[in-house]
Amino acid sequence: MHYKAVLFDMDGLLLDSERQYVESYSQTCAEFDLPNMEQVFYDCVGLRSADSSIVLQKALGHLVDLTAFNAAWVEHAEQQRAKNIPLKSGAQELLSLLQDAGIPRMVATSTRTDHALHHLQKAGIFDLVTHVVGGDQVTLGKPEPEIYLKAAAIAGFDAKDCAAFEDSDPGTLAAVRSGATTVQVPDLKPPSQKTLALGHLVAHDLLAGAQKIGLI
Protein backbone atom coordinates (compact mmCIF):
# COMPACT_ATOMS: atom_id res chain seq x y z
CA MET A 1 0.00 0.00 0.00
CA HIS A 2 0.97 3.63 -0.27
CA TYR A 3 1.48 5.10 3.18
CA LYS A 4 0.40 8.71 3.41
CA ALA A 5 2.69 9.54 6.34
CA VAL A 6 5.22 7.75 8.51
CA LEU A 7 5.15 8.12 12.29
CA PHE A 8 8.33 7.61 14.28
CA ASP A 9 9.20 7.24 17.92
CA MET A 10 12.49 9.00 18.73
CA ASP A 11 14.60 7.61 21.59
CA GLY A 12 15.87 4.12 20.85
CA LEU A 13 14.32 4.24 17.37
CA LEU A 14 15.78 7.19 15.46
CA LEU A 15 18.30 8.18 18.13
CA ASP A 16 20.63 5.68 19.79
CA SER A 17 20.01 7.52 23.05
CA GLU A 18 18.66 4.81 25.34
CA ARG A 19 22.18 3.56 25.97
CA GLN A 20 23.09 7.04 27.16
CA TYR A 21 20.04 7.10 29.42
CA VAL A 22 20.76 3.68 30.93
CA GLU A 23 24.42 4.58 31.50
CA SER A 24 23.48 7.85 33.21
CA TYR A 25 20.84 5.98 35.27
CA SER A 26 23.45 3.43 36.37
CA GLN A 27 25.84 6.24 37.33
CA THR A 28 23.10 7.83 39.41
CA CYS A 29 22.19 4.56 41.13
CA ALA A 30 25.85 4.05 42.02
CA GLU A 31 26.02 7.58 43.39
CA PHE A 32 22.99 6.89 45.62
CA ASP A 33 24.16 3.38 46.57
CA LEU A 34 21.27 1.62 44.83
CA PRO A 35 22.49 -1.76 43.51
CA ASN A 36 20.54 -4.04 41.18
CA MET A 37 18.02 -1.46 40.04
CA GLU A 38 18.39 -1.93 36.27
CA GLN A 39 14.87 -3.31 35.84
CA VAL A 40 13.40 -0.05 37.12
CA PHE A 41 14.98 1.76 34.17
CA TYR A 42 13.62 -0.76 31.68
CA ASP A 43 10.15 -0.38 33.17
CA CYS A 44 10.36 3.33 32.28
CA VAL A 45 11.38 2.86 28.65
CA GLY A 46 8.83 4.33 26.28
CA LEU A 47 6.91 6.24 28.95
CA ARG A 48 6.39 9.98 29.37
CA SER A 49 8.20 11.72 32.21
CA ALA A 50 4.99 11.93 34.24
CA ASP A 51 4.37 8.20 33.85
CA SER A 52 7.97 7.14 34.48
CA SER A 53 7.90 9.27 37.64
CA ILE A 54 5.15 7.00 38.96
CA VAL A 55 7.33 3.95 38.28
CA LEU A 56 10.31 5.57 40.00
CA GLN A 57 8.23 6.65 42.98
CA LYS A 58 6.96 3.13 43.51
CA ALA A 59 10.36 1.48 43.10
CA LEU A 60 12.75 4.02 44.63
CA GLY A 61 10.67 6.53 46.56
CA HIS A 62 11.12 4.70 49.86
CA LEU A 63 14.88 4.42 49.35
CA VAL A 64 16.05 7.87 48.24
CA ASP A 65 15.04 11.50 47.88
CA LEU A 66 13.63 11.28 44.36
CA THR A 67 14.04 14.99 43.70
CA ALA A 68 17.77 14.71 44.36
CA PHE A 69 17.98 11.42 42.44
CA ASN A 70 16.26 12.87 39.36
CA ALA A 71 18.41 16.01 39.46
CA ALA A 72 21.56 13.89 39.49
CA TRP A 73 20.21 11.68 36.70
CA VAL A 74 19.44 14.71 34.54
CA GLU A 75 22.95 16.05 35.12
CA HIS A 76 24.59 12.76 34.15
CA ALA A 77 22.33 12.43 31.09
CA GLU A 78 23.14 15.95 29.92
CA GLN A 79 26.84 15.20 30.25
CA GLN A 80 26.34 12.16 28.03
CA ARG A 81 24.33 14.08 25.43
CA ALA A 82 26.80 16.97 25.39
CA LYS A 83 29.30 14.64 23.73
CA ASN A 84 26.96 13.55 20.95
CA ILE A 85 23.64 11.87 20.27
CA PRO A 86 24.26 8.97 17.88
CA LEU A 87 21.73 7.77 15.33
CA LYS A 88 20.27 4.32 15.02
CA SER A 89 21.17 2.29 11.94
CA GLY A 90 19.25 3.42 8.86
CA ALA A 91 17.58 6.42 10.51
CA GLN A 92 19.09 9.13 8.35
CA GLU A 93 18.81 7.06 5.16
CA LEU A 94 15.15 6.20 5.71
CA LEU A 95 14.18 9.77 6.57
CA SER A 96 16.01 11.02 3.47
CA LEU A 97 14.28 8.48 1.23
CA LEU A 98 10.87 9.48 2.59
CA GLN A 99 11.69 13.16 2.22
CA ASP A 100 12.66 12.61 -1.42
CA ALA A 101 9.36 10.75 -1.93
CA GLY A 102 7.39 13.60 -0.40
CA ILE A 103 6.01 11.48 2.45
CA PRO A 104 5.54 13.35 5.76
CA ARG A 105 7.87 12.20 8.58
CA MET A 106 6.17 12.73 11.94
CA VAL A 107 7.95 12.17 15.25
CA ALA A 108 5.66 10.98 18.06
CA THR A 109 7.82 10.84 21.18
CA SER A 110 7.16 10.58 24.90
CA THR A 111 9.95 13.11 25.38
CA ARG A 112 8.93 16.72 26.00
CA THR A 113 8.69 18.67 22.74
CA ASP A 114 11.41 21.23 23.50
CA HIS A 115 13.82 18.49 24.54
CA ALA A 116 12.96 16.42 21.46
CA LEU A 117 13.62 19.35 19.12
CA HIS A 118 16.99 19.94 20.77
CA HIS A 119 17.96 16.26 20.57
CA LEU A 120 17.00 15.96 16.90
CA GLN A 121 19.03 19.07 16.10
CA LYS A 122 21.99 17.77 18.11
CA ALA A 123 21.81 14.46 16.24
CA GLY A 124 21.69 16.26 12.88
CA ILE A 125 18.35 14.98 11.57
CA PHE A 126 15.96 17.78 12.55
CA ASP A 127 15.78 19.04 8.95
CA LEU A 128 14.63 15.59 7.81
CA VAL A 129 11.60 15.61 10.11
CA THR A 130 8.28 17.20 9.12
CA HIS A 131 6.81 17.73 12.59
CA VAL A 132 7.39 16.72 16.22
CA VAL A 133 4.64 15.78 18.69
CA GLY A 134 6.04 15.48 22.21
CA GLY A 135 4.60 13.78 25.25
CA ASP A 136 3.60 17.14 26.69
CA GLN A 137 1.16 17.64 23.81
CA VAL A 138 -1.15 14.77 24.77
CA THR A 139 -3.31 13.97 27.77
CA LEU A 140 -2.64 10.23 27.77
CA GLY A 141 0.85 8.90 27.12
CA LYS A 142 1.90 5.62 25.53
CA PRO A 143 0.64 2.86 25.58
CA GLU A 144 -2.51 4.88 24.84
CA PRO A 145 -2.73 5.73 21.10
CA GLU A 146 -3.41 9.46 21.48
CA ILE A 147 0.03 10.64 20.38
CA TYR A 148 -0.05 8.56 17.18
CA LEU A 149 -3.59 9.66 16.37
CA LYS A 150 -2.53 13.27 16.88
CA ALA A 151 0.65 12.96 14.78
CA ALA A 152 -1.34 11.42 11.92
CA ALA A 153 -4.02 14.12 12.20
CA ILE A 154 -1.43 16.90 12.08
CA ALA A 155 -0.08 15.30 8.90
CA GLY A 156 -3.66 15.43 7.59
CA PHE A 157 -4.43 11.71 7.57
CA ASP A 158 -5.99 8.88 9.53
CA ALA A 159 -3.51 6.73 11.42
CA LYS A 160 -4.77 3.67 9.55
CA ASP A 161 -3.30 5.17 6.38
CA CYS A 162 0.11 5.60 8.01
CA ALA A 163 3.07 3.43 8.99
CA ALA A 164 4.49 3.67 12.51
CA PHE A 165 7.91 2.64 13.81
CA GLU A 166 8.60 1.93 17.47
CA ASP A 167 11.18 0.23 19.67
CA SER A 168 9.48 -0.13 23.07
CA ASP A 169 6.53 -2.29 24.10
CA PRO A 170 4.40 0.63 25.38
CA GLY A 171 5.05 2.57 22.19
CA THR A 172 4.32 -0.42 19.98
CA LEU A 173 1.01 -0.99 21.75
CA ALA A 174 0.15 2.69 21.25
CA ALA A 175 0.94 2.50 17.54
CA VAL A 176 -1.04 -0.72 17.04
CA ARG A 177 -4.01 0.73 18.92
CA SER A 178 -3.96 3.78 16.65
CA GLY A 179 -4.56 1.57 13.63
CA ALA A 180 -1.26 2.36 11.94
CA THR A 181 0.71 -0.39 10.22
CA THR A 182 3.26 -0.94 12.96
CA VAL A 183 6.89 -2.06 12.84
CA GLN A 184 8.81 -2.67 16.05
CA VAL A 185 12.59 -2.34 15.95
CA PRO A 186 13.63 -3.46 19.44
CA ASP A 187 16.45 -1.57 21.12
CA LEU A 188 17.75 -2.45 24.60
CA LYS A 189 14.74 -4.51 25.62
CA PRO A 190 13.32 -7.36 23.51
CA PRO A 191 9.55 -7.39 22.99
CA SER A 192 7.53 -9.37 25.50
CA GLN A 193 5.41 -12.33 24.45
CA LYS A 194 2.34 -10.21 25.18
CA THR A 195 3.57 -7.55 22.76
CA LEU A 196 4.51 -10.09 20.10
CA ALA A 197 0.94 -11.42 20.31
CA LEU A 198 -0.27 -8.11 18.83
CA GLY A 199 0.72 -9.48 15.43
CA HIS A 200 2.71 -6.49 14.20
CA LEU A 201 5.97 -6.76 12.27
CA VAL A 202 9.31 -6.95 14.09
CA ALA A 203 12.56 -6.04 12.34
CA HIS A 204 16.23 -5.81 13.29
CA ASP A 205 16.63 -2.29 11.92
CA LEU A 206 14.65 0.55 10.36
CA LEU A 207 15.48 -0.17 6.73
CA ALA A 208 14.63 -3.87 7.08
CA GLY A 209 11.32 -2.92 8.66
CA ALA A 210 10.55 -0.40 5.92
CA GLN A 211 11.23 -3.05 3.30
CA LYS A 212 9.03 -5.62 5.08
CA ILE A 213 5.97 -3.34 4.85
CA GLY A 214 6.69 -2.17 1.32
CA LEU A 215 7.56 1.38 2.35
CA ILE A 216 10.82 1.38 0.37
Side-chain angles (χ1 to χ4, degrees):
M1 67 171 288
H2 174 69
Y3 300 99
K4 294 181 177 178
V6 183
L7 319 174
F8 293 96
D9 178 48
M10 186 182 72
D11 291 302
L13 190 279
L14 293 175
L15 308 184
D16 196 7
S17 49
E18 295 290 11
R19 286 169 178 76
Q20 293 180 323
Y21 287 129
V22 72
E23 184 174 340
S24 60
Y25 172 80
S26 296
Q27 288 176 319
T28 309
C29 284
E31 186 178 318
F32 283 78
D33 194 23
L34 294 172
N36 305 315
M37 290 292 178
E38 292 81 4
Q39 186 58 47
V40 178
F41 172 84
Y42 290 111
D43 289 342
C44 293
V45 170
L47 302 180
R48 295 186 304 170
S49 176
D51 297 321
S52 63
S53 292
I54 296 172
V55 175
L56 291 171
Q57 178 63 48
K58 183 177 180 180
L60 306 180
H62 62 294
L63 300 173
V64 294
D65 178 342
L66 271 183
T67 300
F69 181 90
N70 286 329
W73 188 3
V74 167
E75 183 177 351
H76 287 307
E78 287 180 348
Q79 290 171 354
Q80 289 282 337
R81 288 194 295 265
K83 302 171 188 175
N84 73 317
I85 301 179
L87 296 174
K88 294 290 288 186
S89 174
Q92 187 162 10
E93 185 176 351
L94 179 54
L95 288 171
S96 295
L97 288 170
L98 295 174
Q99 184 182 57
D100 291 345
I103 299 173
R105 290 90 46 217
M106 313 295 289
V107 170
T109 175
S110 295
T111 299
R112 252 177 50 184
T113 306
D114 56 341
H115 291 173
L117 295 173
H118 175 268
H119 298 170
L120 291 165
Q121 289 167 342
K122 178 79 175 178
I125 57 171
F126 175 75
D127 291 342
L128 295 175
V129 169
T130 305
H131 192 86
V132 176
V133 181
D136 55 312
Q137 296 187 47
V138 294
T139 303
L140 300 174
K142 301 173 184 178
E144 298 303 322
E146 182 181 353
I147 196 164
Y148 278 105
L149 295 171
K150 181 165 186 171
I154 290 172
F157 306 107
D158 290 332
K160 64 181 176 58
D161 296 320
C162 302
F165 288 81
E166 264 287 352
D167 66 292
S168 73
D169 282 2
T172 297
L173 181 53
V176 170
R177 284 174 168 173
S178 77
T181 298
T182 303
V183 178
Q184 186 174 14
V185 183
D187 185 32
L188 299 180
K189 185 179 178 182
S192 67
Q193 289 302 311
K194 184 177 180 181
T195 301
L196 290 174
L198 295 171
H200 61 290
L201 288 164
V202 180
H204 67 273
D205 65 27
L206 282 163
L207 292 176
Q211 289 171 345
K212 278 188 176 185
I213 63 170
L215 181 61
I216 59 174

